[in-house]
Amino acid sequence: MPLHRKKPFSAKQKKMQLLAKRVSKRDQAAHEDPEWDFRQRPNEESAPGGPQTAHAPSAKPATDGRNKLTSQFDKLSRVEIEDNKKRSMQPLHRLSPEDGLTMSFDDAYSADVDIPVRPEWTYGESKSVVEGREAAYFNSWLERLRASDEEVSLYEKNLEVWRQLWRVVEISDILLLIVDVRHPVLHFPPSLYRYITETTGKPLVVVLNKTDLVAENTVQAWMHYFKQRFPAVVLTRFCCYRDEALVDDTAVASMKMRRQRPRRRTHDSRLVGDLFAACRSVCETDKLGLVGWEELIARYTDKVEDEDSGDSGDESSDGEPDEPVAQSEPDAADEEAHHGERVSSKYVTLGLVGHPNVGKSTIINSIVRRTVVSTSRTPGHTKHFQTIHVTPTLRLCDCPGLVFPCVVGRPMQVLAGLYNTAQVQEPYTSVQYLAERVPVERVLALHPPADARDPENYVWSAWAICEAFAIDRGFYTSRGARPDVYRASLHILRWVLDGRILLSFKPPGFFRDFAYLKELAVEETQAPARSSDSASDVSDNETVQPIAQQSMFALLDEENC
C-alpha cells in the first residue's frame, strides 16, 4: 500500500496549470526575441516586403537534453507552403532524360559553398577554450553562408553534429565516404573531399552503395565519371540485398516489376571482400601489418561464407565487446577523445561518413554479419559516433549522417532522404520534381479522374497524381471523406526512398552519346573476365542500353504529355 494517496486533480486545476505553462513559454520567447508578438497569427506577415521564412535556429545548441544532437533546419512559412501547393496544381512540364536525369558536380555544388573545418588547437588548451573557438568559428561560417549570393538549400546548423564528423575524421586512418548510387553526386561534397584528402591528408574510399537498385551500366558509368573528375579516389561498390540487377533502370516495365525489399533483415557480405581490398590498397605502410588483410578478405568470399555460415555471428568475439561502443557524452574518461583524439597506433580505424540514409550503419551490420548498429529509414537515426571491432586490430567508426550545404533544390534533398519524410511540411513540390522526370502515373498505374473530359489526353499535375493515388489506396480524410492528398504524397516519397519508385540520375552525356559505353566496352575486353554470370550478361548488352534507356520518355512524347 502506498503511504500517500494521489490527490484528486480537477479540471479547473488542470486549466490553471496549462495557463501557467503558456505564460511561462510566452515570457521565455519574449526574453529571447523582444520583437516577437504572441498575438500575431502564423499566416500574417510582420514585414511589408513579402513572405518571411522562419527564423533560423541558433548556432549554439542546447548543452543538455535529448535534442543536443538533433539536426536543425530552416522551416517554410505558411505563405510559402500555400504558394507551393498552388504551384503543384499546375500541369507538369516534362523534362527530357538529358535535362532531367543527369547531374554533375557543377549542378549540385558551388565553389563558394564549403563546410566548416575544425579550427587549430593544442592539447595544452582547456576544453572551454577549444569549444569557445569552435563556436565562434561556426557562427562566422553560418553568417558567411547566409550572406552568400548562392541559394543554399537545407544544411546542418547544429554545431554538435559537425563535431561528431570532426572527431570521426581525426581518429580514422581511412575514411569511407558512402554515397547512394542513384544520385552519387549529391552525396559527394567536393569540400568534404578536400577536407579529408588535403587538410588532414588521409586516404578516401568512395563506396557506391545500393547498387542493386540500378542497372549495371549505370554503376559503371558513375565509376568512370568519378575516376575522370577525381583520379586519386578509390572506388568500390556495395549492396546488402541479393536481388538481381535491373536490365534497364529507366524503363516503365522494369519499374513496375520492382518489388518491395524484404522485411526480414539480411546481412549480405559478398562484397565486403572488395571493400576491404580497397582499404588495403590505401592503407599506410607502417600499419599494413597490423591487420591480416588477406585472411580478412578471404573470410568474406563466397566459398568461405558458405562453409562458415553457421559461425557468422562470431566475427567480433575475439576478445572484443559484442556490442558497439558508443562515444556519447564527453566525460572524464572521454576527455582526450573530445579534444580530438589522434590516430591510435594499436588499431586501423575505418571511418564511415556521409549523408543520412545512404546506408552507413547497414554496411557495418553486413560486415559484422549481424545487427550491431540500429538502422532506420528516418534520417539522423544515428546520434553519436560508434566504434565496432571487426578484429582485435581493425575497428569501424560509424559517424552520424549530416546534411552538407549544396545548391540543389529542397525537393531533391527530400527525395534523396536527407530530410525526415514525416516532417516534410509541403511534399507536393517533391512529387512534382519526381513526376517531371519519371512517369509516376504509369509506374503506379493510375487512372484519370472520372469527370475528365478527355481521359486519353489528360494532362497530369503533381496534385492530381497524389489525389488519384489516394483514391487508389483508399486514403481519405476522417471528417470530410475527401482524398487524403498529403498522406498519399508522403507515401510516394517513402516509396522513392525504398526504391519502389526509382529516381536514378546519370552522369553528363550518358543519354547524348555512347562515349561511356564505348570506353567501358574497351575496358571490359582488357580487364579479366568476371566470375559472375549475371554481370557478364549485362556487359554483353551494354552497347544497346542507351536506346532502351529512353523508352519511358518515348511514351510521353508520343502522347504529348
Side-chain angles (χ1 to χ4, degrees), residues 410-412 414-415 424 426-435 493:
R410 185 188 295 246
M412 179 58 209
V414 174
L415 290 169
V424 175
E426 182 273 308
Y428 313 111
T429 53
S430 299
V431 177
Q432 182 179 8
Y433 185 93
L434 171 68
L493 296 183

Side-chain angles (χ1 to χ4, degrees), residues 115-118 121 165-175 191-204 284 342-343:
I115 65 172
V117 179
R118 188 177 189 182
W121 57 275
L165 173 67
W166 296 342
R167 295 172 68 182
V168 170
V169 172
E170 285 182 345
I171 68 175
S172 300
D173 297 278
I174 303 171
L175 275 305
S191 55
L192 178 63
Y193 167 77
R194 292 190 296 267
Y195 169 56
I196 295 176
T197 59
E198 298 177 7
T199 304
T200 64
K202 296 185 178 181
L204 177 66
E284 296 180 359
R342 292 308 182 188
V343 176

Side-chain angles (χ1 to χ4, degrees), residues 281-318:
S281 64
V282 297
C283 185
E284 296 180 359
T285 307
D286 55 346
K287 284 196 170 184
L288 199 59
L290 283 179
V291 181
W293 292 105
E294 298 297 336
E295 179 183 356
L296 187 63
I297 295 173
R299 182 190 303 179
Y300 291 95
T301 57
D302 291 338
K303 180 178 179 180
V304 177
E305 182 180 357
D306 294 337
E307 294 176 355
D308 301 338
S309 58
D311 301 331
S312 60
D314 300 333
E315 303 298 330
S316 60
S317 59
D318 299 332

Side-chain angles (χ1 to χ4, degrees), residues 92 94 252 256 431 434-435 438-450 452 454-475 483 485 488-489 491-492 495 501 556 559 561:
L92 292 173
R94 305 286 186 174
V252 178
K256 288 183 177 180
V431 177
L434 171 68
V438 176
V440 182
E441 71 279 1
R442 290 184 174 273
V443 176
L444 301 178
L446 301 178
H447 302 284
D454 190 0
E456 296 182 358
N457 298 323
Y458 181 73
V459 180
W460 289 91
S461 65
W463 184 273
I465 290 176
C466 297
E467 191 173 21
F469 185 66
I471 297 174
D472 182 70
R473 303 290 295 185
F475 298 156
V485 183
S489 59
H491 210 80
I492 292 176
W495 278 14
I501 301 177
L556 299 175
E559 298 186 0
C561 293

Side-chain angles (χ1 to χ4, degrees), residues 156-287:
E156 184 60 62
K157 294 183 174 65
N158 192 343
L159 174 58
E160 290 296 331
V161 181
W162 286 102
R163 281 174 173 160
Q164 297 290 309
L165 173 67
W166 296 342
R167 295 172 68 182
V168 170
V169 172
E170 285 182 345
I171 68 175
S172 300
D173 297 278
I174 303 171
L175 275 305
L176 305 180
L177 179 56
I178 315 301
V179 301
D180 193 331
V181 74
R182 292 175 291 180
H183 19 71
V185 169
L186 179 62
H187 303 300
F188 188 91
S191 55
L192 178 63
Y193 167 77
R194 292 190 296 267
Y195 169 56
I196 295 176
T197 59
E198 298 177 7
T199 304
T200 64
K202 296 185 178 181
L204 177 66
V205 176
V206 178
V207 182
L208 298 178
N209 196 20
K210 305 181 182 180
T211 55
D212 57 317
L213 295 178
V214 299
E216 175 67 18
N217 58 353
T218 301
V219 180
Q220 293 292 339
W222 277 121
M223 296 184 72
H224 186 76
Y225 178 72
F226 271 84
K227 289 179 181 179
Q228 283 186 337
R229 292 294 301 266
F230 304 97
V233 168
V234 177
L235 294 166
T236 185
R237 63 172 67 191
F238 199 87
C239 66
C240 302
Y241 294 90
R242 299 178 183 270
D243 297 341
E244 296 181 0
L246 291 177
V247 178
D248 182 8
D249 55 1
T250 56
V252 178
S254 300
M255 290 184 180
K256 288 183 177 180
M257 291 187 298
R258 294 298 295 169
R259 294 171 295 178
Q260 187 178 8
R261 286 183 171 184
R263 292 185 178 274
R264 179 178 176 272
R265 293 184 178 181
T266 57
H267 305 306
D268 189 2
S269 57
R270 291 177 299 171
L271 298 177
V272 175
D274 297 338
L275 179 63
F276 283 151
C279 296
R280 179 189 57 182
S281 64
V282 297
C283 185
E284 296 180 359
T285 307
D286 55 346
K287 284 196 170 184

Side-chain angles (χ1 to χ4, degrees), residues 395-414:
R395 63 181 181 179
L396 307 174
C397 189
D398 184 16
C399 177
L402 54 91
V403 181
F404 302 96
C406 62
V407 295
V408 299
R410 185 188 295 246
M412 179 58 209
Q413 290 182 304
V414 174

